[in-house]
Amino acid sequence: MRLKTVFLSVLFGVTSFLLQAQGVSQQYLNYIERYKGMAIDQMLRYKIPASITLAQGLLESGAGTSTLARKANNHFGIKCGRAWKGPYVLQDDDERNEKFRKYRSVEESYEDHSRFLQQARYSSLFDLSPKDYKGWARGLKRCGYATNPRYASLLIDLIERYDLDQYDKYKSSKLHFDYSSIDRQLNSESLPSHLVYRNNENYYIIARAGDTFDLLAEETGVSARDIRKFNELPKGYRIQAGDVLYLERKRKKAAKKYKDVPHVVKAGESMYNIAQRYGIRLESLYDMNNLPADYAIQVNDRLRVR
């Protein structure tokens, strides 16, 4: 038994030495082995080279070890953008606290990556052969997928170092992934996390029954204190279902489309409700209308919001 243990230890040591000598990582090899079938499947469905998908996954997620990959199943560093209506996490990137998409599974991340590349800005890539990984790598950089000036060369190096282009030759796959549920899960209310909406260049969620500031802070990455502050709520306030809760500090004015378009007060509205509706600070709403802080609005009052 002891000899077998010694033999295995020696074998592991020799293998590790050989991998290091070749400039490859066992962690990267494990990632490739785990997700190559998924990358091939995506290639057959979307015509994106499997080598590119794998190389981007390796690079963007650190072979599945990055914070985004572990906490959000985000293997491709995709940020929210205006079209994203699903959950997100905050992480520093080019700027502080940028919003990155959050997925229920790695399968969702791979599927969304393929869909993401269907945007018009990447359309030129699909004129290339699925076997032209160098053209794809350079095209991704040219189309603005990443800001790193070495992005294309990093992808090409990974593909050649790990022989990833071998997976571009597949014409069929024995592995079949079920994406039918993902169609319903991506950007849908079936996700357990809150949908994130956008208003007046600001992100917000709509509270559900049972929500607390601490639970929302854990989900969104925005502290409970900041959620209260951004929404001008007192410390003892208890969240109600249907509350609009902004995740950034609100603007001083409503969107440009409301210029010279006053808000006509309706029954049951309050200054606070109106401020939340337009994504503006309550104090600014009072200031724009030259109203004292104790003013009680009346039905049919006309309020400037910009």
Side-chain angles (χ1 to χ4, degrees):
M1 192 70 172
R2 186 175 300 173
L3 286 175
K4 182 178 180 180
T5 302
V6 171
F7 172 77
L8 290 174
S9 297
V10 171
L11 179 61
F12 178 78
V14 171
T15 302
S16 298
F17 174 79
L18 289 174
L19 288 174
Q20 291 174 6
Q22 295 168 4
V24 297
S25 161
Q26 184 62 55
Q27 192 172 62
Y28 276 42
L29 291 172
N30 292 342
Y31 182 94
I32 294 164
E33 184 62 27
R34 184 172 184 177
Y35 296 117
K36 65 182 183 183
M38 200 178 297
I40 292 169
D41 190 66
Q42 291 292 314
M43 176 182 67
L44 297 175
R45 297 173 69 235
Y46 289 99
K47 310 303 180 186
I48 300 166
S51 60
I52 286 292
T53 298
L54 283 170
Q56 285 193 279
L58 286 166
L59 183 60
E60 298 285 352
S61 76
T65 65
S66 70
T67 301
L68 274 178
R70 289 184 288 105
K71 292 188 175 181
N73 285 316
N74 188 330
H75 281 230
F76 298 93
I78 298 179
K79 298 178 183 178
C80 287
R82 294 189 178 186
W84 180 250
K85 303 300 182 184
Y88 69 86
V89 294
L90 298 176
Q91 182 165 300
D92 294 349
D93 191 49
D94 297 324
E95 298 178 9
R96 287 194 61 200
N97 284 337
E98 294 200 73
K99 297 175 175 63
F100 289 83
R101 300 182 182 189
K102 181 179 180 180
Y103 306 101
R104 287 175 50 160
S105 64
V106 179
E107 285 87 351
E108 280 189 13
S109 181
Y110 269 68
E111 175 74 2
D112 191 50
H113 169 258
S114 296
R115 295 183 182 187
F116 184 81
L117 293 183
Q118 306 304 304
Q119 297 178 78
R121 65 187 292 188
Y122 299 109
S123 61
S124 61
L125 296 176
F126 293 88
D127 293 332
L128 302 171
S129 166
K131 297 180 181 179
D132 183 10
Y133 65 84
K134 290 183 179 180
W136 270 80
R138 292 167 183 149
L140 282 168
K141 177 64 184 76
R142 184 177 61 253
C143 293
Y145 189 97
T147 56
N148 188 333
R150 297 188 59 245
Y151 193 74
S153 60
L154 290 171
L155 292 180
I156 292 170
D157 178 71
L158 282 170
I159 291 169
E160 295 179 347
R161 186 182 300 270
Y162 291 94
D163 195 22
L164 301 181
D165 59 319
Q166 64 178 297
Y167 305 117
D168 296 340
K169 301 171 185 177
Y170 281 71
K171 295 183 178 180
S172 63
S173 175
K174 295 180 181 179
L175 299 174
H176 297 283
F177 297 90
D178 181 12
Y179 296 98
S180 59
S181 61
I182 293 176
D183 289 335
R184 297 188 298 272
Q185 290 165 1
L186 284 174
N187 296 335
S188 77
E189 293 186 357
S190 65
L191 288 166
S193 302
H194 293 73
L195 293 181
V196 179
Y197 303 92
R198 191 172 176 84
N199 179 35
N200 200 16
E201 298 184 5
N202 200 340
Y203 291 95
Y204 71 93
I205 60 174
I206 297 176
R208 299 188 297 233
D211 282 342
T212 66
F213 288 105
D214 288 337
L215 288 174
L216 292 178
E218 182 179 354
E219 177 186 323
T220 65
V222 180
S223 72
R225 179 177 178 274
D226 280 345
I227 295 175
R228 289 192 190 92
K229 178 180 176 182
F230 297 153
N231 293 278
E232 302 164 283
L233 295 170
K235 188 173 182 180
Y237 181 80
R238 297 185 67 177
I239 296 174
Q240 305 296 313
D243 280 351
V244 171
L245 298 173
Y246 287 89
L247 303 175
E248 300 171 295
R249 192 176 186 193
K250 292 179 292 180
R251 309 276 171 177
K252 291 184 178 180
K253 297 180 180 180
K256 291 181 180 180
K257 64 182 179 180
Y258 294 110
K259 183 178 180 181
D260 300 324
V261 181
H263 176 84
V264 180
V265 178
K266 299 178 180 63
E269 289 187 319
S270 67
M271 290 289 281
Y272 180 77
N273 296 147
I274 295 167
Q276 290 296 92
R277 173 177 174 174
Y278 291 97
I280 56 179
R281 302 171 198 172
L282 182 59
E283 180 182 10
S284 298
L285 183 59
Y286 277 101
D287 289 344
M288 277 187 285
N289 292 278
N290 298 312
L291 297 174
D294 60 352
Y295 178 78
I297 58 173
Q298 306 294 320
V299 173
N300 293 327
D301 276 355
R302 297 170 73 85
L303 301 175
R304 289 181 57 198
V305 293
R306 183 177 176 81

